Amino acid sequence: MTAQPMQTTTGTVTGSDLLAMGDIGPCELIDGVIVKMSPAGGLHSFIELTLALLVGGFVKDRKVGFCMVGEVGIFIRREPDRIRGADLAVWAHAKLPDGPPAGFVEVAPDLVVEILSPTDRWMDMRQKINDYFSIGVDTLWIVDPDEETVFVYPSASQRTALRRGDTLAGTGPLTGFTLPVSELFAF
């Protein structure tokens, strides 16, 4: 989803406040300020579903962890609170031994997947990349539908671009998972 600069709060909101608000629509909490996000477009949604089915199925079938989608809230820091909404994230069982929490997740995922929307800016995505790695995310995949490319980040400063003809390979709880990049854009 695309973060919009429109801020909808005047005071500092905590993660607990945001959770208590219920469904206020897609948003992230950036340093105590709710930042609204526009709904996902069709292509974004198609790619998210494809990845959820394939990655989620792999994780579930092998009982190696949990796959969560739909702007799952992940705490980045507190005071002021920052919560990012990931398109898809995977946690090994060891990281969430009691299963997925009812609220926002306070444990770094092994994998985060972000799907670029047409209005996303790389400057904003760079901040998300830094946020995710600051909490200990192992790997980040950024899917760029316009370029039909998946950028694989093993750290905030390293990336590999995979295109049609390349194969995406999982690590950590996704060890053994492979996906030809062309399958993400087969419609």
Side-chain angles (χ1 to χ4, degrees):
M1 286 198 188
T2 304
Q4 299 298 318
M6 169 180 46
Q7 297 177 355
T8 59
T9 57
T10 54
T12 300
V13 175
T14 67
S16 296
D17 296 336
L18 180 59
L19 191 59
M21 290 177 192
D23 186 3
I24 63 168
C27 65
E28 290 183 319
L29 185 62
I30 306 300
D31 301 336
V33 176
I34 296 173
V35 178
K36 291 285 196 178
M37 301 168 78
S38 62
L43 182 56
H44 181 287
S45 181
F46 172 82
I47 293 169
E48 185 173 345
L49 176 62
T50 299
L51 282 169
L53 291 170
L54 296 172
V55 171
F58 182 93
V59 169
K60 187 173 183 178
D61 290 349
R62 286 160 184 79
K63 298 177 175 47
V64 294
F66 304 98
C67 180
M68 298 177 217
V69 297
E71 301 302 320
V72 58
I74 302 167
F75 264 100
I76 301 299
R77 68 171 168 254
R78 295 207 183 251
E79 297 182 20
D81 289 0
R82 180 174 287 205
I83 299 171
R84 290 292 188 178
D87 290 316
L88 182 145
V90 174
W91 287 262
H93 275 294
K95 288 189 173 185
L96 296 174
D98 297 325
F104 302 125
V105 186
E106 299 189 43
V107 177
D110 294 283
L111 169 71
V112 169
V113 178
E114 289 287 345
I115 303 162
L116 295 178
S117 296
T119 57
D120 281 335
R121 299 180 321 185
W122 273 103
M123 179 177 69
D124 296 330
M125 191 55 63
R126 172 58 53 199
Q127 182 59 56
K128 277 190 171 190
I129 293 166
N130 290 333
D131 281 350
Y132 288 131
F133 283 106
S134 76
I135 62 168
V137 166
D138 294 328
T139 306
L140 174 66
W141 296 347
I142 297 179
V143 180
D144 184 343
D146 289 341
E147 299 296 323
E148 294 188 349
T149 302
V150 178
F151 296 99
V152 177
Y153 287 81
S155 72
S157 61
Q158 297 177 319
R159 81 175 190 186
T160 302
L162 302 177
R163 294 178 176 80
R164 287 183 175 270
D166 294 325
T167 299
L168 187 58
T171 59
L174 287 173
T175 298
F177 174 83
T178 60
L179 174 65
V181 172
S182 60
E183 284 188 29
L184 280 179
F185 308 107
F187 34 85

